[in-house]
Each structure stands twice: as C-alpha cells, then as structure tokens.
Amino acid sequence: MTDHKRDSHATTIGEKTLRPESLMMSYGYRPELSQGAVKCPIFQTSTFVFKSAEAGKAFFEIAYGLRKQDPHEELGLIYSRLNNPDLEILEDRLTLWDGAEKSAVFESGMSAISTTFWTFLRPGDIVLHSEPVYGGTDYLLKRILPQFGIRAVGFSARTSQQSLEKLLEDREIRGKTAMIFVETPANPTNDLVDIAACVHAAQKMSSGGRRVLVAVDNTFLGPLWQQPLTLGADLVLYSATKYIGGHSDLIAGVCLGSAELVGQVKGMRTILGTMASPWTGWLLLRSLETMKMRMTAQMKTARYVADFLADHPKVERVYYLGHLRPEHPHYAIYRRQCSAPGGMIAFDIVGGEAEAFRFLNNLQLFRLAVSLGGTESLAEHPAAMTHSDVDPEERQEMGITDKMVRLSIGVEHPEDLIADLEQALAAL
Ligand SMILES: *Cc1c(COP(=O)(O)O)cnc(C)c1O
C-alpha cells in the first residue's frame, strides 16, 4: 500500500496495534497535501485561504460552536490562533502517549496551566493543590488567583493521603472545591502524590451538576513513565519545555484530556491567544520522534548516577524514585502509578550551601542551569535558585535545604557523568 493511500490516523497494521513511538513519524500527516514531503513542513502563516465564502462560513460555524460538525465534514483551517497544521498534527500525536482523546499545545507550560485554570475556575471556587509545586505555578496559585476571588489550599505531597482526608472534613472545602491540582513527583524532592486517592477525593466532593476535576502536572515522568488519565485524572498538563521538547531549545506546554474538557480549554486558548507558534509546533514534532529513546537513555543513566551518589561519603542522602524500598510510605504509590524512576535526582551534600556551591562550581560536564529534561545534564541548587521565592520556613518543611542539589540527567555516557561528579565531590 503506498503511503498516500494509508489513512493518516491509522494505528494498526492488520490486527496489530502499533506503539506510539512507531507512529511519531507519520501519524496525522498527509504527505500529498504538502508536495509529498516526508516531513511535515512549517506552516509559517497567520491565515488560510478559503475555497469559497460558503466554506469560510462553515468553518466558523464549527469553530465557534454555532452548530455541530457533520460526521464527514472536515474542519478547515481559519487563522493560526485557532488552528494550524503543525499544531493539529502535534496535538494528534501527543494524544497517543497519554491515551487522551484530545490535546492542546501552548507557547509555555505556564500558559497551559493558566489557560486551564481560567477555563475551569471561577470566583468563589477553591483549588486544592499538592505542595511543593513548580515556582511559577506556586505564584499563580497563591498570588494571582486570590486577586480573582479563587482560594488555593495546599496539602503536603509527603503526606498527601492523610492531608487530603483531613481537608475533606472541612465543609467549605467540600462545597467549594472546583479542582484538585497535583504535581507528582514533586520537584525537587521526588515525593509522590497518590493520583488515584485524589480522584477518589474529587468524586466524594462532586455532587449533582458539580464535578470536581483532577489535573496533574506530569512534566517529571510523563508521558513515558506515568499516565494520569489511566488512573482516573481528568486533565494532564505539561511543560513541554522539558522532556517532550527535550533539547533545551524551546518553551512550550500541553493540556490533554477528554474531547469535552480539552474543547473548553481550546475555546479559552483561542481568546487568550496562548497557543504555540507554528515554529514551536514543528520543533516539538521533531522532538517527539526521539522522545522514547531519549527518556529511556536518561532513565537508565540516572540509575547509575544515583547508585554512585548513594555510595559516596560526601553525599548524605539521595532522593531518587529508583531507590524507594518497600518500607517507604511512597513505595506502594510508586508501584501503582509509575513504570520507571525517570531521570531526576536530588541529593543532600555533606555540609551546607558553601559545600553545595563549591561542588556546583567544580562541575565540568554537567551544566550549571535550571530547567530539566534536555539532552545535556544539568545541576542546580533549589533553595537558592528554582525554589528561592518559597517561604524559607515552608521550604525547610518540604525538605528543600541549603545542602540539596538537583540533577537532570541527559544522554551523555554514564561513566563520563560519574567521572565529573567524582572530581567535583573530591575537590570539596
Ligand atoms: C518548567 C515547569 C513548568 C513551567 O513550564 P514553562 O514551560 O517554563 O512555562 C511547570 N511545571 C513543571 C513541573 C515544570 O518543571
């Protein structure tokens, strides 16, 4: 069968269902619409020409929800704030990894999170959230949302089940919560929040016409090692800047879920204008082709690095999912909701800020930078960098101390990374 006759959305060969990595080079793209180019071109255009005034009218009717789309009617392209081929193909491919009906891509992780909040939260609502969360999300929850009459109530990721149960005893929380937002594993401590327990709590709080949504920021392990939708979550959010982009050369975000919920998010995105550009969309299509290879290599290398650190006399403690033992309270959660430990490691160095800084300044192959999930290994100091605006007392409670260093493992040879860590620790 020649390529142009194969359905661009086929996911099987005969009876066999193809894996997502096998579909990342072709799914959703029709070469015959682009001169036969094997790669989807960059559709660097703001607007699209209608074949006729009637066609333009029909596209708008559907895009603005004025009538339902007929089963065989193709939705045409209108304007790149609403739709664009690079974004639509990317969104189709992203759904395969998380088992989502639909996805929406954004120009940053923060725009994915904020647009989702603006879609589902209203004045008077409460949003319950795990703690710690990413710094930008923390600011949005605690400083921005209250200005719009939305209250954020945090619960500790370390003791999520007990803290959630306690919150549910509060009548106001039961009556006004519109969303449970969780980030798991928590950054940088790798604490795990039980997603299924959050789904259960949301069901308990939902009543009549009011449905409490569970949204999970899946940036650290997804989409390869954790699929929150399969655990009952309603929405999955990403900073695609990290593992999905994977090359530290773009900023982007994603929201995935049911057609109904993501449709609402896309409606808000159209008006806020927070969609990704065609160029960002194209870069992400490039990235998705190697995502599984990259994330697998990073995950395997991280284990060598974590084992090396755990045995080192100048390392006090390592926070790494692959080292959880059955007696740890998060072990059962790990087994239920993660399929591998991923590529993020934090550790406490023997000493304090001075020792941590000397170590960071001594690194030669690891780059001293925030962000994560790229091909190059990165090291940073959470207390002084990514988490410096968290209240110092809260920071201490979360375990983010002056002796903590965070590593994001890249695709370098594990022995070269270990050699770099060894010399940087030896110089202390
Ligand atoms: C980086 C990050 C964000 C924010 O994403 P941007 O792409 O920087 O806007 C949100 N959540 C997590 C867990 C992150 O690591």
Side-chain angles (χ1 to χ4, degrees), residues 373-416:
T375 45
E376 67 288 296
S377 292
L378 299 176
E380 66 113 6
H381 190 263
M385 296 167 191
T386 46
H387 295 69
S388 57
D389 70 343
V390 178
D391 176 69
E393 205 169 299
E394 280 183 38
R395 201 163 60 211
Q396 206 71 22
E397 267 169 45
M398 295 170 190
I400 307 168
T401 61
D402 286 343
K403 57 189 172 184
M404 181 180 270
V405 171
R406 188 188 78 181
L407 303 178
S408 167
I409 302 302
V411 299
E412 302 91 341
H413 196 289
E415 286 171 21
D416 294 341

Side-chain angles (χ1 to χ4, degrees), residues 106-113 133-137 181 183-187 217-220 237-242 250-253 371-372 406:
F106 295 84
E107 199 58 31
S108 70
M110 284 312 303
S111 55
I113 295 168
V133 289
Y134 178 75
T137 313
F181 174 88
E183 193 178 303
T184 181
N187 173 20
D217 182 332
N218 202 32
T219 300
F220 267 49
L237 295 157
Y238 286 104
S239 168
T241 310
K242 316 296 166 54
L250 61 86
I251 302 273
S371 196
L372 58 110
R406 188 188 78 181

Side-chain angles (χ1 to χ4, degrees), residues 83 126 216 308:
N83 47 23
I126 291 175
V216 180
F308 164 79

